[in-house]
Amino acid sequence: MSRRRTPARLLGLTAAAALTLPLAAAPAQAELHREMQFWLDDYGVTDAWETTEGEGVTIAVIDTGIDGDHPTLESAVVGGTDFSGGGSSSGTPVEQAATEHGTLVASLAAGRGTDPDQGAVSEDLFDEMDDEEWDDWFESFEADLEDAYGDEWEDEIDQDTLDEFYETREFPLDDEDLAEPDEDEDDEDETDPRGAGVIGVAPGADILSASLVLEDPNPYGPGTEEQIAEAVTWAVDQGADIINMSIGSGVQDWPESWDEAFLHAEEQDVLVVAAAGNRAAGHFSVGAPATIPGVLTVAGVDEGRSISEDSSSQGIAVDLAAASEPLVGAMPDGGYARWEGTSGAAPIVSGAAALVMAAHPDLSAREVKHRLVSTADSEGSSGVDPEYGHGVLNAAEAVSGSVPEFSPDDYPTLEDWIRVHRRADDDGADAHEDIPEEAGVEAGPEGEPRDMPQAAEVRGAQDWAGPVALGIGGLLVVLMLTGGVVHLISRRSRRGEDASETG
């Protein structure tokens, strides 16, 4: 058989899920996905699960739509609708530049996890292919490698091992991978009631999906400004306790048409959680909706708790920080992906908010926010840091720890802001001189008052930090569907280099 090459292209997820996941390493891959979620242990999420998993709390995800049929989201999505004009009435993913974004986000908020043996199909699947089918599959596999590693992908892997995989159709395992698991480790795995794979911070919470098209002009109908206002109102009316918004405009202003929608959320005691934005998308300062008073704004950190250089904007609106790199999440049609961005940090905090609400059902949304920010692990400068806010999420403490007494004055409301700013807009440019201290209006990053937000023009997709970052580099997406093979091939290559260096 001769091997044929194809140019780089993104594997269709349906085909990739069917042909790549059935490798013998699928169970190990599911375990790898779980191990990659460092925030579960580091942020005390697993400890918080001893108290609650978020049962009875509903999180609305306003995004590009959610694939509720994904194994980790089965039974999680309890309702949805579309506001783009191009999606389904159930809020499933809408075709656009970052169709997968909403599914990735939802899986980190309330994914259920999966059976560790799911997708474990015999390698006989490859033997059953005729030569043409195998060549077609392998071409797609190499294209996926090129998408994952770039044009220089052949320098990143062991070509001999790849050739061996092609010739034998056998997964390239080595002695270490074939070793039997330690009995204690095996027993420990069997005691995990949540299985394996990607799991959300609040696996007991329910999800509502509001699908949007975050591109302007929207080829299907209404613009972003109108879609978001309608989606927020709908989420509140559908009984959402939390609204997750992993989207951002890159500017502090927000359309005046949003006032009513976000005020509706505030009046109905719904907590809105928004991503701070991504520097790689050109958003160096936090933008709306994260700048709207009352919104819980989430910045991003890496595993070492350093602010993400490419994945976290800064500003006085930042309340809290959580993991934004490296992340793993669910893709439409059953796949998984590695990614980066505050788009992932926001649903981690939304999940933590759901845990707090479930553990303390009598708290208001502002009191839930208070528990989250006051129990955060302090990072950055003293006080409220423009990059970390109050610090890095500590879910265990937020759920069960002691907190300072709640003071409403510490948490300004959108109602106060509208009364002050919109009135000032109507009364003239000098009206700000009469703003009372108790209104909670804060200075901007340089100590000067913020410019008064005006109704913003509709912006293009490049201005929306969350989804667009997938397409322009703010979020690095590497398909995990080939991860089992790539990991081993790459590791063998590195071992060979190490041996030659030490030999």
Side-chain angles (χ1 to χ4, degrees):
M1 260 185 299
S2 62
R3 286 175 53 190
R4 298 178 291 172
R5 305 274 179 175
T6 58
R9 59 186 172 84
L10 184 63
L11 267 175
L13 266 296
T14 301
L19 294 176
T20 309
L21 280 177
L23 292 172
Q29 207 171 46
E31 293 173 6
L32 174 63
H33 296 153
R34 180 64 58 83
E35 291 171 3
M36 289 178 63
Q37 294 185 267
F38 62 89
W39 54 91
L40 297 178
D41 287 328
D42 289 2
Y43 297 174
V45 174
T46 53
D47 291 333
W49 285 345
E50 295 178 8
T51 300
T52 178
E53 294 185 3
E55 297 87 350
V57 178
T58 300
I59 303 171
V61 176
I62 297 178
D63 215 289
T64 61
I66 301 170
D67 179 7
D69 291 329
H70 190 288
T72 198
L73 290 168
E74 286 182 3
S75 79
V77 181
V78 297
T81 195
D82 174 67
F83 293 94
S84 70
S88 73
S89 59
S90 58
T92 54
V94 187
E95 189 65 31
Q96 57 191 290
T99 304
E100 64 275 11
H101 192 264
T103 305
L104 287 165
V105 168
S107 66
L108 296 193
R112 297 334 197 199
T114 58
D115 184 334
D117 292 325
Q118 189 163 10
V121 178
S122 170
E123 288 179 4
D124 289 344
L125 172 71
F126 295 143
D127 293 332
E128 292 169 1
M129 295 180 185
D130 61 30
D131 290 353
E132 184 176 356
E133 289 172 335
W134 174 244
D135 278 348
D136 287 342
W137 183 89
F138 208 88
E139 285 178 2
S140 294
F141 174 69
E142 289 187 313
D144 204 8
L145 290 177
E146 188 167 355
D147 285 324
Y149 283 88
D151 293 339
E152 306 300 322
W153 69 272
E154 290 176 296
D155 296 333
E156 300 291 335
I157 67 170
D158 184 343
Q159 190 63 47
D160 290 339
T161 305
L162 187 62
D163 290 341
E164 179 185 348
F165 177 43
Y166 174 79
E167 294 297 336
T168 65
R169 303 191 187 189
E170 293 179 358
F171 188 74
L173 298 174
D174 55 21
D175 293 339
E176 179 182 325
D177 298 300
L178 292 171
E180 291 294 324
D182 181 83
E183 282 189 16
D184 292 337
E185 291 181 1
D186 192 46
D187 291 342
E188 184 178 334
D189 289 342
E190 289 180 356
T191 62
D192 188 350
R194 301 174 189 88
V198 173
I199 192 169
V201 172
D206 293 328
I207 294 175
L208 293 172
S209 176
S211 58
L212 316 178
V213 165
L214 297 172
E215 299 173 0
D216 287 311
N218 171 13
Y220 308 113
T224 306
E225 174 183 329
E226 181 181 345
Q227 291 178 71
I228 289 177
E230 291 181 354
V232 170
T233 301
W234 173 86
V236 174
D237 292 343
Q238 292 299 306
D241 302 294
I242 299 162
I243 296 176
N244 186 91
M245 304 188 73
S246 292
I247 55 180
S249 62
V251 294
Q252 291 184 351
D253 306 347
W254 64 88
E256 191 166 342
S257 62
W258 288 7
D259 286 358
E260 184 177 351
F262 283 85
L263 185 59
H264 183 48
E266 181 175 280
E267 290 172 343
Q268 297 304 312
D269 204 29
V270 176
L271 179 63
V272 179
V273 179
N278 301 321
R279 294 175 182 174
H283 302 163
F284 293 94
S285 296
V286 177
T291 53
I292 297 176
V295 170
L296 175 53
T297 301
V298 185
V301 295
D302 61 21
E303 190 169 359
R305 300 197 171 197
S306 296
I307 286 292
S308 300
E309 292 185 5
D310 293 332
S311 303
S312 189
S313 304
Q314 68 179 48
I316 61 172
V318 173
D319 294 302
L320 200 60
S324 64
E325 62 172 288
L327 303 172
V328 60
M331 296 279 281
D333 296 321
Y336 294 89
R338 292 188 64 174
W339 60 306
E340 296 180 0
T342 57
S343 287
I348 289 174
V349 171
S350 289
L355 298 181
V356 174
M357 286 184 176
H360 305 277
D362 295 332
L363 295 184
S364 67
R366 286 201 289 171
E367 288 172 313
V368 169
K369 180 178 179 179
H370 174 66
R371 287 197 72 90
L372 289 166
V373 301
S374 64
T375 57
D377 296 334
S378 181
E379 297 284 352
S381 57
S382 59
V384 181
D385 184 84
E387 292 183 313
Y388 289 95
H390 293 264
V392 176
L393 173 68
N394 186 328
E397 284 298 305
V399 168
S400 303
S402 299
V403 297
E405 183 177 355
F406 170 74
S407 173
D409 293 340
D410 294 333
Y411 299 92
T413 66
L414 177 58
E415 181 182 14
D416 289 337
W417 187 94
I418 290 173
R419 174 173 50 81
V420 170
H421 282 279
R422 299 305 186 200
R423 182 198 67 188
D425 196 22
D426 292 338
D427 293 347
D430 297 328
H432 68 275
E433 296 175 1
D434 300 324
I435 296 174
E437 280 186 28
E438 60 269 19
V441 177
E442 298 176 284
E446 284 78 41
E448 295 296 325
R450 286 179 174 168
D451 290 338
M452 210 161 308
Q454 305 294 323
E457 293 182 4
V458 177
R459 295 176 169 82
Q462 193 166 358
D463 286 325
W464 295 97
V468 142
L470 273 166
I472 66 174
L475 304 178
L476 173 63
V477 176
V478 179
L479 290 178
M480 294 298 293
L481 296 172
T482 56
V485 178
V486 174
H487 171 69
L488 289 168
I489 293 174
S490 301
R491 186 173 63 185
R492 280 191 169 188
S493 178
R494 289 195 296 272
R495 285 179 180 172
E497 293 173 1
D498 293 342
S500 61
E501 289 174 359
T502 56

